[in-house]
Amino acid sequence: MVSTTMPANATGPSGAAKVRRPKARITPPVWLVYLGWFTVLFDPHYFVAAFAGAAFGRLATVVYFMLLILLLARIPLNVAAGRLWVLFPAYLVWLVVGVLALPVAPNIGLVVDCLKILLLYWGLSVATTDVIRTPSVVLPIVAMFGFRFLWWEMWGTAAGLVPWHPSMSNFDGYGTLTAQGAGICYWLAMGAKKRSHRMLLFALSAVSVLGVVASAARGAFLALVIVVGAIWLRSSKKLLTLGVIAGAAVLVSVGAMLFFDGAAFYDEIASSFSEGNSEGTGKQRWELWTAAFLVFKEHWLFGVGAGNVGAFAASFFAPGQFELFPVPAMFYGYNLHNSYMQVLAEFGAVGFGAFMWIHLDFFLKNRQLRSPAAVEQWRIGGGDRLFDLPQVSLALEAGFLALMLTNLVYANLFEAWLVVFWTLNRTLWGVTRSPAKRRSASRRSASKLVTPTGAVGRVRSVDTVAFPQHTDG
């Protein structure tokens, strides 16, 4: 989908061979992938819908559907080339389990709606890893991944929410995003090659901290604290990083005085510990999670269907069984505030296993992005023109850690955030694999096919995007 060219006998002034970085030709499928990423990272359809009518909110579905068609058309080519990993097996298991739960789901419409979201995200994911084949071509996505916070912070920092957005019009939703942004922008700034980019990303990291404070989202703030600690542990200059952390603490104090009266903010955060599971929202969430676990025990293999834990609980429990939900119908449509319990109850043990497989896959591939071999492939492919790969990988890690922590107390399951992290991580891993491993995988999986005449012949991998001095296939 993206071709690269290099003269066979390129030489420098002295006659010595000179390695040229690939010049990528951006094809229509790549532009479509870029459009998909712009849609998922900036949500322009929600913005337009808020001011021009709800019908415009469906524009994203059109983009994702086009990507889904693209990848379905190319599945045979990827199978022939031995690129089965681009199909995201863990994600496919998750989708299939959602279908298998249909017989017990009390509200099939909710299952269909949720699975449609997951299927469209799968289209973006697979199309990205299939079409994006070189470091230089993935750079616009990396840039959008970091600089999008300028857009979101412009709208949300003062109020602690984004008023026109369906999920970030809630303090918890905006707090979740800015908790991710603090670590993402910090590490991208550390790896940025241009001074202007570095300064802007450091500023966005600082404003993200203020955004978490403005939201007063307790789970997001606690996630931010842990992410900051992880940044210090990852840093090779711990004394200097301590100074940065001190600056973040000052920002929190300034934000607490700017958006609240100071004490009110700290009291709100402290209530996370004082309430426990015996009073307030802590008790409410504990009862919700207990109910979800009992629902899981009833249908433990495939769950009760995506989006159906509340619908199932509404007719499953006896009146008065839960103190804060004396009428079981109160569970219907209630937010569980825990993505892990939601997966467990709605997708069962098999779906939960696939969900955790997604997490394990992220960390294993993210670690490989910091290997010398990956860094060298990133350099040869022109990726280091904007960012150093190790810092990009740490930006992904920090943001993903924030998401994992906020998933413990918020319902982010059907947001695009998980797919964004997982897909970009896998795409970066794909474009920085060593040429030898690519060729080996292709030869193992798709060396022979039957030609139209019935003859058996060797086929060349469709993954023909090459770094200088080698072809992939």
Side-chain angles (χ1 to χ4, degrees):
M1 307 308 295
V2 182
S3 65
T4 60
T5 59
M6 187 194 73
N9 297 312
T11 59
S14 63
K18 182 175 68 174
V19 174
R20 293 185 182 179
R21 293 182 175 183
K23 295 180 179 180
R25 179 173 58 86
I26 307 301
T27 61
V30 174
W31 284 115
L32 180 59
V33 168
Y34 287 165
L35 177 60
W37 276 88
F38 177 78
T39 302
V40 80
L41 292 175
F42 292 87
D43 288 340
H45 52 295
Y46 289 141
F47 177 74
V48 175
F51 300 100
F56 288 94
R58 302 188 183 95
L59 291 175
T61 302
V62 176
V63 175
Y64 297 146
F65 189 70
M66 292 169 64
L67 289 166
L68 189 61
I69 292 175
L70 173 67
L71 77 91
L72 289 175
R74 290 183 54 79
I75 282 179
L77 297 176
N78 282 299
V79 171
R83 285 174 53 86
L84 293 176
W85 66 271
V86 307
L87 301 179
F88 289 29
Y91 201 101
L92 278 177
V93 171
W94 198 22
L95 280 171
V96 170
V97 168
V99 175
L100 294 176
L102 279 171
V104 301
N107 189 325
I108 294 177
L110 284 175
V111 178
V112 172
D113 287 344
C114 293
L115 292 186
K116 181 180 71 174
I117 293 171
L118 295 180
L119 180 63
L120 292 176
Y121 287 159
W122 183 70
L124 173 66
S125 300
V126 181
T128 302
T129 51
D130 179 25
V131 170
I132 304 298
R133 304 291 184 88
T134 60
S136 61
V137 179
V138 80
L139 280 179
I141 297 176
V142 177
M144 284 191 286
F145 176 69
F147 291 117
R148 66 187 156 128
F149 290 98
L150 179 62
W151 167 252
W152 294 116
E153 290 167 5
M154 177 185 71
W155 283 103
T157 301
L161 49 77
V162 180
W164 51 264
H165 196 274
S167 61
M168 282 189 283
S169 56
N170 179 288
F171 293 116
D172 294 344
Y174 184 70
T176 295
L177 180 68
T178 48
Q180 299 170 28
I184 290 171
C185 294
Y186 173 81
W187 280 119
L188 286 180
M190 293 294 289
K193 291 302 186 72
K194 296 183 178 180
R195 187 175 183 276
S196 58
H197 291 172
R198 188 161 55 250
M199 293 299 101
L200 177 56
L201 286 164
F202 274 133
L204 292 177
S205 180
V207 177
S208 291
V209 173
L210 289 176
V212 173
V213 176
S215 72
R218 295 174 296 180
F221 183 79
L222 295 176
L224 174 65
V225 171
I226 295 174
V227 167
V228 168
I231 288 174
W232 181 79
L233 289 174
R234 283 294 192 190
S235 174
S236 59
K237 300 179 180 179
K238 289 185 167 46
L239 187 60
L240 179 61
T241 307
L242 276 178
V244 174
I245 293 173
V250 171
L251 280 175
V252 170
S253 299
V254 170
M257 296 302 298
L258 182 64
F259 302 115
F260 306 93
D261 64 359
F265 172 76
Y266 296 114
D267 289 344
E268 175 69 13
I269 300 302
S271 67
S272 301
F273 304 98
S274 61
E275 285 182 356
N277 62 358
S278 59
E279 58 179 303
T281 56
K283 182 175 182 178
Q284 182 190 68
R285 293 184 183 187
W286 184 257
E287 289 197 351
L288 283 167
W289 301 342
T290 301
F293 185 73
L294 294 174
V295 169
F296 159 70
K297 289 176 65 178
E298 187 68 15
H299 291 284
W300 62 271
L301 189 59
F302 299 127
V304 296
N308 269 257
V309 62
F312 186 89
S315 60
F316 178 69
F317 296 112
Q321 190 169 346
F322 292 91
E323 182 180 347
L324 298 183
F325 298 88
V327 180
M330 296 171 66
F331 283 113
Y332 203 105
Y334 216 95
N335 191 323
L336 270 186
H337 292 279
N338 189 309
S339 296
Y340 304 100
M341 292 304 301
Q342 186 175 355
V343 171
L344 194 65
E346 295 180 355
F347 293 85
V350 178
F352 187 79
F355 189 65
M356 298 316 295
W357 178 8
I358 291 172
H359 288 66
L360 179 61
D361 178 89
F362 175 89
F363 285 108
L364 289 176
K365 288 181 170 54
N366 185 265
R367 181 180 180 182
Q368 292 180 39
L369 294 180
R370 297 189 289 276
S371 69
V375 171
E376 178 63 11
Q377 291 300 311
W378 180 256
R379 183 193 66 79
I380 293 174
D384 64 346
R385 188 174 73 250
L386 291 182
F387 298 101
D388 286 329
L389 184 61
Q391 280 71 37
V392 174
S393 75
L394 291 173
L396 283 163
E397 181 188 73
F400 193 68
L401 176 60
L403 177 63
M404 288 179 61
L405 293 168
T406 51
N407 275 346
L408 289 168
V409 290
Y410 302 140
N412 301 320
L413 184 59
F414 297 107
E415 297 291 340
W417 293 322
L418 175 65
V419 175
V420 163
F421 285 114
W422 196 40
T423 302
L424 183 53
N425 192 67
R426 285 174 66 90
T427 303
L428 289 169
W429 174 81
V431 301
T432 56
R433 295 175 74 191
S434 70
K437 290 182 178 179
R438 297 179 189 218
R439 288 193 295 268
S440 176
S442 297
R443 289 167 180 165
R444 285 196 308 268
S445 304
S447 293
K448 293 184 178 182
L449 288 179
V450 177
T451 66
T453 60
V456 177
R458 298 188 66 82
V459 295
R460 190 169 183 263
S461 166
V462 298
D463 187 7
T464 56
V465 176
F467 295 102
Q469 299 179 321
H470 80 271
T471 56
D472 182 15

